[in-house]
Amino acid sequence: VFNIGKLVDFQWKLGVASASNHSSQLNTPFITVFIKVLDSNSKVTAHSFELTISEFKNFAQQFKDMSQLIESL
Amino acid sequence: MAERISYLGYNIPPEVKNMIPVVQKFEQSFYRDILSMVALYMKTKKITLNKKEENDRLEQITDSIHNKLTISANDNKVDPNLSSIVFTGLYYILKIAIKKKVNNQTFLADITDLKLPQPLITDLSNIYNNQGKDLAEKSNNDKILFPKLETFKWRVDVIISSSFTSRVLIPVILMEMADNNGKTRVFEVSVDTFHKLRYNVAKVLKDLEDLEQNQIISKLENKLN
C-alpha cells in the first residue's frame, strides 16, 4: 500500500477576523479546517488550513461533484 | 611606587610569549601580511552560525588564511608553523586589548614593553587606533544568545460556529511569531490566557524600569563606556 493516508478526523470552524496588526477593522469571514490523517506508518498527523469564502465555495463545490459522481456509480 | 601591570596580565599569555623570539627574525612585509590577515579574521569570525552558507563562508576564509600563511612562509623561506605562531600571538594581542577596552597609549606602552621589532609596534598600534572601534563593535555583537524574536503578527477572530458547536460567539486571538533562526510558530490564545500574558508583559516592563532606577547598574554602564 503506497503512502496515501486515510482521513481519520475532519473538523471545521467558521469565524470572522475582526482586527489584526495590519488593520484594526478587517471583518473578513473565513473557514478553518482541521484534519487528522492516518498514514501508512500508522502515525496520525494533524494538518490545519484556512480558506477564504471564495476558496471555500470552490472546496465545497468539489465535494458536491465528488458526491454526485459516487452516487452515480 | 606602584608599577602598572601590562594589560596582558601579570603573566604574559604563552601564545604571546612564544611569538616574541620568532617574530624578531621576520621581515616587515611578512608580518604586515600576517597582521592584515589577523584583522580580516577578526572582522569575519562569528560564534553563532545558524545558516549553512555563513558557516561555509567562514570556513572558506579560514582556509584561505591558512593557505596564504603557508605560501608566504614558503616565499620567505620560513617554516609554516612559525607563521602560525606569529598569527596566534598577534591575534591574542589584539583580542585581549579589545576585550579589556585598553586605550591607545596603554596599548602602545605595553606592546613596547614586549620588545617586539619597532615597525611591528607601529603597525600594531596603527591597526588598533584605526580599526579598534570597528573590531570592538563587532565583538560586542558576536555573542551566544537565545534566538531573537523577529516578527510578531496577530489577529482577533470571532468564532461563529464550528463542527461541534453552533451559534457561539467567542473571540480568540491568533499569534504568529518568527525568530531569527527562521522558525515560525502560529498559535491560538484564548482571552483568559491573553490577559495573563498582558499582565506578565506589563510586570516585566515595570521590572525593567525599576532596574534602570537602580543606581548600581547605571554606574556600571558609565564605567564600561
Side-chain angles (χ1 to χ4, degrees):
Chain A
V1 186
F2 58 95
N3 50 359
I4 291 189
K6 243 204 299 200
L7 184 67
V8 169
D9 193 10
F10 181 96
Q11 296 176 16
W12 58 271
K13 75 179 183 224
L14 163 71
V16 174
S18 59
S20 95
N21 66 330
H22 269 311
S23 64
S24 55
Q25 250 207 341
L26 280 177
N27 290 332
T28 325
F30 63 91
I31 301 237
T32 314
V33 175
F34 173 76
I35 59 175
K36 278 197 193 158
V37 176
L38 176 71
D39 65 17
S40 46
N41 298 335
S42 303
K43 262 192 290 192
V44 179
T45 47
H47 302 274
S48 61
F49 48 92
E50 265 187 20
L51 303 160
T52 59
I53 288 293
S54 53
E55 284 170 354
F56 174 68
K57 283 187 184 154
N58 188 4
F59 188 69
Q61 186 57 41
Q62 297 191 9
F63 274 90
K64 284 186 194 150
D65 293 342
M66 279 193 259
S67 76
Q68 269 183 349
L69 275 173
I70 289 185
E71 277 173 29
S72 69
L73 279 174
Chain B
M1 177 182 93
E3 233 180 68
R4 197 180 54 81
I5 296 182
S6 151
Y7 81 87
L8 288 167
Y10 188 70
N11 292 327
I12 300 184
E15 292 85 1
V16 177
K17 233 190 223 172
N18 291 337
M19 169 186 83
I20 299 179
V22 173
V23 85
Q24 308 289 354
K25 310 180 197 152
F26 281 11
E27 293 176 5
Q28 186 191 19
S29 57
F30 189 28
Y31 49 68
R32 223 175 224 182
D33 279 345
I34 298 186
L35 201 51
S36 60
M37 282 189 251
V38 171
L40 173 64
Y41 180 64
M42 288 185 91
K43 283 190 199 145
T44 50
K45 82 172 175 72
K46 263 185 156 198
I47 294 182
T48 49
L49 291 170
N50 305 322
K51 306 170 189 149
K52 189 168 185 301
E53 313 89 53
E54 287 181 14
N55 203 357
D56 289 342
R57 191 170 166 265
L58 181 61
E59 276 189 33
Q60 261 181 344
I61 291 181
T62 48
D63 282 342
S64 81
I65 289 181
H66 183 78
N67 290 340
K68 277 191 207 156
L69 277 180
T70 330
I71 290 177
S72 47
N74 289 332
D75 281 344
N76 285 318
K77 304 201 175 39
V78 160
D79 186 3
N81 288 334
L82 295 180
S83 63
S84 309
I85 292 180
V86 172
F87 184 92
T88 316
L90 291 173
Y91 174 66
Y92 260 74
I93 288 181
L94 282 174
K95 181 172 102 148
I96 300 180
I98 289 176
K99 176 172 160 185
K100 293 197 175 175
K101 301 191 216 274
V102 168
N103 64 11
N104 295 340
Q105 296 94 310
T106 326
F107 182 69
L108 189 54
D110 287 336
I111 56 177
T112 322
D113 283 342
L114 286 176
K115 313 255 186 323
L116 298 170
Q118 184 55 40
L120 179 57
I121 293 183
T122 342
D123 284 344
L124 265 175
S125 109
N126 280 343
I127 281 210
Y128 192 64
N129 294 344
N130 301 339
Q131 304 186 9
K133 271 220 169 101
D134 286 343
L135 294 172
E137 214 182 276
K138 241 228 96 243
S139 61
N140 267 341
N141 296 335
D142 188 20
K143 295 184 265 208
I144 297 182
L145 290 171
F146 281 111
K148 282 190 189 171
L149 183 66
E150 243 182 38
T151 58
F152 179 76
K153 299 192 229 168
W154 58 270
R155 195 177 82 187
V156 175
D157 297 335
V158 180
I159 313 276
I160 303 179
S161 74
S162 82
S163 50
F164 25 52
T165 54
S166 64
R167 293 253 130 220
V168 252
L169 289 155
I170 1 169
V172 97
I173 304 179
L174 242 83
M175 295 190 182
E176 178 181 316
M177 293 194 193
D179 63 20
N180 63 356
N181 280 345
K183 185 164 166 222
T184 315
R185 271 183 160 221
V186 185
F187 50 93
E188 269 186 21
V189 178
S190 67
V191 183
D192 228 2
T193 326
F194 175 69
H195 282 308
K196 282 194 204 155
L197 177 67
R198 213 173 61 133
Y199 167 73
N200 280 307
V201 168
K203 189 164 189 300
V204 168
L205 204 58
K206 181 172 185 305
D207 283 343
L208 278 175
E209 281 185 11
D210 286 347
L211 268 183
E212 284 180 16
Q213 299 292 347
N214 193 341
Q215 295 196 339
I216 290 188
I217 304 260
S218 54
K219 282 194 183 146
L220 268 179
E221 263 186 17
N222 287 338
K223 185 167 189 295
L224 285 176
N225 288 342

